[in-house]
């Protein structure tokens, strides 16, 4: 498996939706316009490719100097457990630099994953959930 990575490139929306659907991530993939808007308003995208096939993606919002919210991390099901997610996080961290905190909200099913790739669990967060 020869995986290459790109930073700062947004794939076609249909490619992103395919990865989301395969990965098991819960996103509004039936709403192409909403997925497009999510990427139009994000400022850090890191992708993983096998040839011309998108196999993984991370999407973040950051100021590149204090904080970065890792909003999406998705890897096609058949590529999971091969280090791609970990590498996407590593490249995100390289892009934001050491002065920038990386934070996220985890899906319940991924709570065991993030400590394995360097995240520390925190109990001092709050959320106002979306209505839709």
């Amino acid at each position: 498996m020869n995986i290459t990575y790109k930073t700062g490139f947004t794939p076609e929306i249909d490619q992103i939706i395919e990865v989301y659907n395969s990965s098991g991530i819960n996103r509004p993939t039936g709403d192409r316009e909403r997925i497009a808007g999510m990427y139009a308003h994000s400022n850090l995208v890191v992708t993983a490719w096998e040839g011309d096939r998108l196999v993984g993606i991370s999407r973040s919002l950051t100021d590149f100097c204090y904080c970065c919210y890792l909003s999406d991390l998705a890897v096609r099901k058949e590529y999971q457990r091969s280090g791609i997610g970990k590498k996407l996080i590593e490249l995100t961290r390289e892009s934001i630099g050491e002065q920038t905190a990386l934070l996220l909200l985890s899906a319940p099913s991924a709570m065991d994953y993030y400590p394995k790739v360097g995240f520390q669990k925190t109990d001092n967060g709050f959320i106002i959930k979306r209505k839709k």
Side-chain angles (χ1 to χ4, degrees):
M1 179 178 344
N2 184 24
I3 304 299
T4 57
Y5 295 88
K6 297 179 186 177
T7 300
F9 172 76
T10 301
E12 296 294 322
I13 299 305
D14 290 334
Q15 293 175 301
I16 295 167
I17 289 171
E18 281 182 27
V19 170
Y20 282 0
N21 287 338
S22 170
S23 73
I25 194 171
N26 183 17
R27 295 295 181 270
T29 56
D31 186 346
R32 257 182 120 268
E33 190 172 308
R34 191 166 182 192
I35 298 291
M38 289 163 49
Y39 278 84
H41 299 290
S42 298
N43 61 348
L44 179 55
V45 176
V46 183
T47 54
W49 301 82
E50 185 172 44
D52 61 356
R53 184 178 195 211
L54 180 67
V55 298
I57 192 162
S58 68
R59 179 180 72 88
S60 302
L61 296 95
T62 184
D63 55 23
F64 292 99
C65 63
Y66 190 74
C67 68
C68 176
Y69 174 63
L70 177 57
S71 185
D72 294 344
L73 179 67
V75 176
R76 286 182 187 271
K77 184 71 79 185
E78 65 270 28
Y79 291 84
Q80 292 176 4
R81 301 192 191 320
S82 62
I84 293 171
K86 184 175 183 176
K87 184 68 173 180
L88 291 169
I89 293 167
E90 179 184 314
L91 292 170
T92 297
R93 292 185 71 198
E94 284 179 18
S95 293
I96 62 176
E98 293 181 1
Q99 292 183 333
T100 308
L102 182 59
L103 50 105
L104 61 85
L105 293 174
S106 176
S109 62
M111 288 296 290
D112 292 334
Y113 173 73
Y114 290 107
K116 294 176 186 174
V117 293
F119 282 84
Q120 184 178 7
K121 189 174 185 228
T122 182
D123 293 322
N124 62 339
F126 298 91
I127 185 172
I128 297 174
K129 292 193 174 191
R130 73 185 71 78
K131 292 184 180 186
K132 158 179 182 186

